[in-house]
Every structure is written in structure tokens, then in C-alpha cells.
Amino acid sequence: MAETINKTTLASKIAATTDLSQAKVTAVLDALFDEVSSAVKAGDKVSIPGFFSAERTETAARTGRNPQTGEEIKIAAGHRVKLTAGSKLKAAVK
């Protein structure tokens, strides 16, 4: 079974390979996640060439259906995040 890597595990592995403290690596990861979130929230596209790109997309209002009752419901327009894997990430999985 594949290992699940969370933020703590990622910070630990990066700290081990870079000789930085885990606290410093965690601070850098937090700053990275904050910047990506802020940029996508503002409608900017974030692209890290070869690895991924993230952008905010619009979704139109639509009619859905309650699966328990079958009743039609209105789903409001909104925003979603679109993540696209880059070429290096795709190649790493092959």
C-alpha cells in the first residue's frame, strides 16, 4: 500500500535532505500554501512549470436533484479550483 504523505511528513523529509530545521521547512510550506491560496482566490493562475498549475474557475448556476427524494434543487453559481499536473509530475508516475 502506498504511503500517505501529509504536511508534517513532507516537512520532515525536506528537512532531512536540506539540513534545515523542520520548523523552518514548515514555515516555508505554510508561506507557499498561503501564497498559492491567495493568488487563486484573487483569480490569478499559479504555475510551477513541470509540476502543476492551479486556477480558479467559474461554475454556472444549474438545477440538481436530491438523490434521496428526487426533488429538483437549484445550485447557485460558484467557483472551483482546477489543478493540472505538469509534465515532470506526469513523467514521474510512469
Side-chain angles (χ1 to χ4, degrees):
M1 181 173 196
E3 177 184 5
T4 299
I5 305 224
N6 58 25
K7 187 173 83 170
T8 304
T9 307
L10 181 62
S12 176
K13 289 180 180 230
I14 293 172
T17 60
T18 60
D19 292 328
L20 293 172
S21 72
Q22 188 167 343
K24 285 183 181 180
V25 173
T26 299
V28 169
L29 288 174
D30 286 340
L32 172 68
F33 297 147
D34 288 344
E35 287 302 316
V36 170
S37 298
S38 296
V40 171
K41 181 180 179 181
D44 298 333
K45 181 176 181 176
V46 176
S47 178
I48 299 179
F51 286 96
F52 77 90
S53 65
E55 63 185 308
R56 179 174 134 168
T57 60
E58 308 272 333
T59 57
R62 61 195 186 279
T63 302
R65 192 169 295 280
N66 181 330
Q68 291 182 338
T69 64
E71 176 187 359
E72 284 192 354
I73 57 174
K74 301 284 185 199
I75 301 172
H79 304 283
R80 303 287 183 261
V81 176
K82 177 182 173 186
L83 293 172
T84 306
S87 59
K88 289 180 184 178
L89 185 56
K90 288 178 184 178
V93 220
K94 288 185 179 184

